Amino acid sequence: MSYKKIILKPGKESSIERFHPWIFSGAIKCIEEGINEGDFVDLYSSKDKFLGIGHYQVGSISVRIISFKPAEINDAFWSDRLKIAYNLRVSIGVAENPINNTYRLVHGEGDNLPGLIVDIYNRTAVMQAHSVGMHVCRKEISEALAKVMEGKIDNIFYKSETTLPFKADVDHDNGFLLGGEADNVAMEYGLKFHVDWLKGQKTGFFVDQRENRHLLERYSKGRNVLNMFCYTGGFSFYAMRGGANLVHSVDSSAKAIDLTNQNVELNFPNDPRHQAFAEDAFKYLDEMGDRYDLIVLDPPAFAKHRNALHNALQGYRKLNAKAFEKIRPNGILFTFSCSQVVTKDDFRTAVFTAAAMSGRKVRILHQLHQPADHPINIYHPEGEYLKGLVLFVE
Ligand code: SAH
């Protein structure tokens, strides 16, 4: 089967021959008449060499390659890709694990499905399209997903209201594509939590911090923990299981604080060690005194685009400087950046500068990143976004 054609300018095929899945608008020589946003297209070089099949979209990334080989994109195609994704999650031990039923099943380019995210929460899959093409294919994909995950999930919730391009002329229609179960309790390494897939951020939970939360558990014993930017309280309930002395969770959103309290309650009912505060991070850090010896800083992306990079780095510097200033001697700081445009080195420099400003002795214990169920396609380095440092502060 062939699709309508897009032809590249001379010499613009080299990145795609190295399997990078994006074509930018500037690389395109001509677009066949009748191609609509979200359609499949066949991509050709200026010398008429077939390069791949992709989804077309208006904007700076014009084509996202779905297959580098000629293929029919049908039920078997989707099922195949989803099965490969599922098998990977089984082989790394996050799926079919009696104490864990929360994991990312599809991580866009990292699973050779650019524009598609699927997170699994117990018996519900939350599916998110980041491209118009994946939105157009949502029914076919959800049918394939239901088959591949037969017996393992009962519900598929589609949530693309905030992730589809603002200007795209599509109807977002958030809602269930399969089932409709309201029970939203899932489990991560034996800890329970509610997922708000209807209104929550991302797909309802920050699945990407699982391994880092698990690491924090090991360092929590006897410590006074501050979980700054707590959202639904992930780091807090791990700290409690790890034997923390006290755990304070802070987020500027009152809704997030409610969710955190509910989640802590699910795991540690009436435990007086935990308290949560709805407050601005900078204000709290200014006023908190020096009672914490384990601090987590997991802010939202300070830079969503390259042109915000300078301000973002300044933000990371300021935030970390406050933690270095206040953390108790021999304290441990878990500090993160989830801005894709901030590189590992940029982030480390910002934290280094903050450390130097404080004059404290600081050593790096761990360099953290996104977990294995958020794989990075080696040909698509842009897929690397989460980075963190665990620091020992004398
Ligand atoms: N650590 C969390 C995810 C953090 S997401 C987890 O493991 O799940 C970032 C959070 O920062 C959001 O919940 C958002 O409400 C909060 N936030 C954004 N700006 C803030 C600010 N100025 N002060 C405090 N919290 C803020």
Side-chain angles (χ1 to χ4, degrees), residues 201 206 213 229-231 235 251-253 279-281 298-300:
Q201 298 183 47
F206 282 76
R213 293 194 267 256
F229 307 98
C230 65
Y231 188 40
F235 283 100
D251 199 288
S252 55
S253 147
E279 256 208 66
D280 173 71
D298 184 24

Side-chain angles (χ1 to χ4, degrees), residues 201-202 205-210 213 227-236 250-254 256 279-283 296-302 336 338:
Q201 298 183 47
K202 296 235 195 167
F205 190 68
F206 282 76
V207 184
D208 57 3
Q209 287 287 25
R210 179 185 54 246
R213 293 194 267 256
N227 179 10
M228 180 54 78
F229 307 98
C230 65
Y231 188 40
T232 53
F235 283 100
S236 303
V250 180
D251 199 288
S252 55
S253 147
E279 256 208 66
D280 173 71
F282 286 91
K283 183 162 183 281
V296 182
L297 298 176
D298 184 24
F302 281 169
F336 296 96
C338 61

Side-chain angles (χ1 to χ4, degrees), residues 295-297 320 333-337 347 351 387-391:
I295 297 179
V296 182
L297 298 176
N320 283 280
L333 175 62
F334 277 66
T335 182
F336 296 96
S337 162
F347 180 60
V351 176
K387 54 247 142 217
L389 293 168
V390 182
L391 303 165

Side-chain angles (χ1 to χ4, degrees), residues 17 27 44 52 66 69 76 164 196 306 348 361 375:
E17 284 174 336
Y44 280 86
I66 305 293
K69 292 188 201 141
L164 282 170
D196 186 3
R306 241 209 167 268
R348 191 155 149 178
K361 239 188 217 157

